[in-house]
Amino acid sequence: MEAPSVSAEEKHRIERVARFVARDRDGDMAQALLLRLLKITRNGRRWGFLAPDHPLHPYYLQQKVSEQCRILRPRPAADR
């Protein structure tokens, strides 16, 4: 899934957050904390993609799942 037309900066921000949440031991809690910060700061322009009703939320979820799969995928023996 390609991100709907967004700036490179916003795309990079979404990918960074998705990577952080995917790598965190308790990613659900990290995501919940980020959502709480979104509500407190009301900075929807910067962090709105965390909200399920945001148009970029599916892209964020896809990036998070992609990173989780990458982490779980065993590396080929030649790379070790």
Side-chain angles (χ1 to χ4, degrees), residues 7-62:
S7 69
E9 179 184 340
E10 186 170 20
K11 188 175 175 184
H12 182 68
R13 182 180 323 112
I14 292 169
E15 291 167 359
R16 257 190 358 239
V17 171
R19 195 169 24 251
F20 168 76
V21 171
R23 290 181 179 182
D24 190 65
R25 234 174 220 216
D26 192 354
D28 291 337
M29 188 167 80
Q31 185 170 313
L33 287 171
L34 291 170
L35 271 169
R36 180 77 177 126
L37 284 173
L38 169 64
K39 290 177 184 174
I40 291 170
T41 63
R42 301 178 195 268
N43 194 347
R45 185 172 181 176
R46 186 171 179 94
W47 307 108
F49 64 87
L50 292 165
D53 61 344
H54 193 279
L56 292 174
H57 189 71
Y59 179 70
Y60 160 71
L61 290 177
Q62 188 268 332

Side-chain angles (χ1 to χ4, degrees), residues 55-70:
L56 292 174
H57 189 71
Y59 179 70
Y60 160 71
L61 290 177
Q62 188 268 332
Q63 292 299 309
K64 183 175 80 168
V65 169
S66 176
E67 183 66 21
Q68 288 168 331
C69 290
R70 192 187 69 70

